[in-house]
Amino acid sequence: MRAALVAAGLLVLYVALGQNAFHGLDAYHYLAFVDAGELRNAQSVLYQPVAFCFSRLCAQYGLPVYESMRLLSAIAATLGVAAVYGVAKTLGLADRAWLVALGCGLTPAVVHAATVLEVDAVQYCCSCFAWLPFARLLRDNTIGAAVVTGVATAIAAGFHAAGHLLAATLCGLQLTWGWPTRQLRQTTSRAVVLAITHAGAAALLLWLGGAGGQSTMATNTVTVAFHAEVLPSVLVHEWLLPYLPWCGLTLLALSGRRTRAAAVGLAVCQGGYLLVTTLVLGLFAATGPALPHGAREFGSFLLGIVVPAVVLAVQVVPRKVAVAAVAVAAAAAVAQVRLHDWPADPEGYLAGWREVTRGQAVPLLVDDAQEWAWLARREPQVKPLLVRGYLEIEVPAQVARAGIALRPEHYEAQFAVWQPRDAMMPVMLISARAIDRMRASPVPALAAFARDRLFQSCTLQPVDALGFHAFRLLPK
């Protein structure tokens, strides 16, 4: 009963905090794929089919695709919380199981994942369920528990490549958890069984689903340069803030004889997660302005270590401290979600867009990912160009590859290409926000073009419909 109450309370919290913000650019594509019934994805075998079925079920009750996929995140995180309750009881923390479950469910990174449209909450749910057989493996050290754990981590990998890191983490914790009471000669063979089962089941699942993109992504991640300059941001925004207060309390497990080895093992695994996070976000740093929140993931890459971090912390601190820690996590989670969230979409923007386009496929240039979201929420198939993406990042990169300096003339040529040359070519729309952004752009050539040449080289016809304010790009 207590587990059900904890889960129900957190589900209400997740739904109430449901964010207007998109987590990342992948969310726009997931939304478009599910809306179109596209179930195959080279990097995720399972997420789109699950989201598609769930959204179609919700559609029977009038819930749009965007809200249904966000609800899926909330329900997945809630199921994860319920699983964690069972994990804590299996590990001998029956009297504190509710604290462990609440601690995991209120971790800021988990709350963020549960309140946005993204695969992360579902992958977190899978990691929690993988801990159910893994907790039995830690307690009983049976081959069966190792096999089931390997299958569970493979399913997690079917949703997101982070499932492979989860498998590696559980293998490491299998060796260190409870050492020296659980001696290596007893635990090593089970870790090998877990690893082999995961590798085999994951390979089969990814092969059946055609998710070869995970191999490509892993290869790309390994070969990218390490950007040390992003490490401070990663430590603060991907670990310290998203995992308050567990990021500090877990260190206390180093002081206990029974938990010291597990804490060291967790620290090593955490280092691996942070390394991968630094590599990926270093790669994203150049495209940060085009992303919904810049090059930040709010701790989503490290969701696989939430359970052991909270279990170890709650296990070693006094009960009153654990209760206070849960309260701190809750306050930090709500505050961070509010800071990350976007305001409500401007009234009339979508309706105005529909009135102007009348169902036609019309090229569109918008300011940023937030303005794109105003359309994507109800028109997922609309894929506009972004000033902060294409004009500020891609165009300068193309010019730089040619070995010449970027000048306003390059943007003049780009807009000349966009101007319709015959009646068959659709007329591009440029939002008023996009014009404003170009004029104030941090790219000097783009700002100079927008201020001095845009209205000289192009004919921009104002279009105002309800809350949608834009210009038609016509030939001069």
Side-chain angles (χ1 to χ4, degrees):
M1 176 61 72
R2 181 173 286 181
L5 290 175
V6 169
L10 287 175
L11 178 59
V12 171
L13 176 68
Y14 297 154
V15 173
L17 288 176
Q19 294 189 59
N20 205 44
F22 277 60
H23 173 76
L25 289 184
D26 283 347
Y28 295 83
H29 302 302
Y30 285 136
L31 180 58
F33 290 148
V34 171
D35 178 71
E38 174 57 58
L39 306 185
R40 295 179 65 86
N41 187 307
Q43 296 181 353
S44 175
V45 174
L46 299 176
Y47 180 64
Q48 283 168 213
V50 169
F52 176 81
C53 293
F54 186 77
S55 66
R56 292 303 181 268
L57 175 64
C58 291
Q60 304 302 312
Y61 300 94
L63 196 65
V65 177
Y66 172 77
E67 280 76 9
S68 68
M69 293 179 70
R70 192 175 62 183
L71 178 61
L72 175 61
S73 296
I75 291 176
T78 302
L79 293 174
V81 168
V84 168
Y85 191 92
V87 169
K89 294 184 67 174
T90 301
L91 292 176
L93 296 172
D95 60 328
R96 297 191 179 191
W98 66 278
L99 278 172
V100 174
L102 274 177
C104 289
L106 290 171
T107 298
V110 174
V111 175
H112 173 79
T115 55
V116 293
L117 184 165
E118 187 51 84
V119 67
D120 298 322
V122 184
Q123 201 276 330
Y124 162 75
C125 175
C126 291
S127 71
C128 293
F129 273 88
W131 265 85
L132 285 173
F134 184 66
R136 292 195 295 273
L137 177 61
L138 294 178
R139 186 188 64 189
D140 303 328
N141 210 43
T142 63
I143 292 179
V147 170
V148 176
T149 303
V151 172
T153 56
I155 293 173
F159 283 96
H160 193 281
H164 302 302
L165 286 176
L166 172 66
T169 296
L170 296 189
C171 286
L173 292 178
Q174 161 66 4
L175 299 178
T176 59
W177 198 281
W179 185 87
T181 303
R182 298 174 71 246
Q183 296 181 1
L184 288 178
R185 68 172 180 268
Q186 299 173 328
T187 59
T188 302
S189 62
R190 304 303 188 257
V192 171
V193 170
L194 193 165
I196 292 175
T197 303
H198 169 84
L204 177 62
L205 180 61
L206 298 178
W207 176 73
L208 291 174
Q214 287 196 2
S215 299
T216 303
M217 182 170 59
T219 302
N220 291 343
T221 301
V222 170
T223 57
V224 299
F226 182 81
H227 294 267
E229 68 275 8
V230 306
L231 184 57
S233 177
V234 167
L235 291 176
V236 172
H237 298 290
E238 306 299 328
W239 174 239
L240 296 179
L241 293 178
Y243 291 92
L244 281 173
W246 316 114
C247 54
L249 289 179
T250 306
L251 297 176
L252 297 178
L254 293 169
S255 63
R257 183 177 179 275
R258 294 177 54 196
T259 57
R260 185 177 298 120
V264 171
L266 178 60
V268 172
C269 295
Q270 174 192 319
Y273 274 97
L274 289 171
L275 173 62
V276 172
T277 302
T278 303
L279 288 172
V280 174
L281 296 189
L283 186 64
F284 287 167
T287 58
L291 303 175
H293 303 280
R296 290 184 183 172
E297 289 286 329
F298 305 118
S300 64
F301 286 2
L302 289 87
L303 287 169
I305 60 174
V306 173
V307 175
V310 176
V311 166
L312 286 175
V314 171
Q315 186 175 350
V316 298
V317 301
R319 187 183 185 90
K320 289 183 178 180
V321 174
V323 172
V326 170
V328 169
V334 173
Q336 290 180 38
V337 163
R338 292 303 187 195
L339 288 172
H340 301 157
D341 202 4
W342 292 342
D345 297 355
E347 186 176 352
Y349 186 95
L350 175 65
W353 155 262
R354 287 173 170 170
E355 181 177 315
V356 170
T357 59
R358 299 186 183 277
Q360 301 298 311
V362 177
L364 175 67
L365 178 67
V366 299
D367 172 16
D368 57 4
Q370 185 173 353
E371 186 174 9
W372 180 9
W374 299 345
L375 297 173
R377 235 180 290 282
R378 295 292 178 264
E379 298 282 356
Q381 304 309 319
V382 175
K383 296 179 176 63
L385 291 172
L386 310 183
V387 172
R388 303 193 195 203
Y390 183 72
L391 294 183
E392 292 186 353
I393 297 174
E394 292 187 38
V395 170
Q398 292 170 6
V399 173
R401 284 194 291 269
I404 56 179
L406 182 66
R407 299 188 302 273
E409 290 82 358
H410 292 109
Y411 290 104
E412 188 169 350
Q414 179 64 70
F415 275 75
V417 171
W418 286 341
Q419 294 176 36
R421 293 179 293 277
D422 54 58
M424 300 299 293
M425 185 173 177
V427 176
M428 171 174 272
L429 289 172
I430 305 174
S431 77
R433 276 175 52 113
I435 297 288
D436 292 341
R437 172 63 183 184
M438 286 190 288
R439 287 171 170 167
S441 174
V443 179
L446 176 56
F449 166 73
R451 288 194 305 264
D452 305 330
R453 303 190 182 197
L454 176 58
F455 284 85
Q456 297 174 9
S457 59
C458 307
T459 297
L460 294 175
Q461 181 185 75
V463 177
D464 292 298
L466 302 175
F468 181 71
H469 306 293
F471 297 86
R472 285 191 178 95
L473 178 61
L474 303 174
K476 190 69 175 177

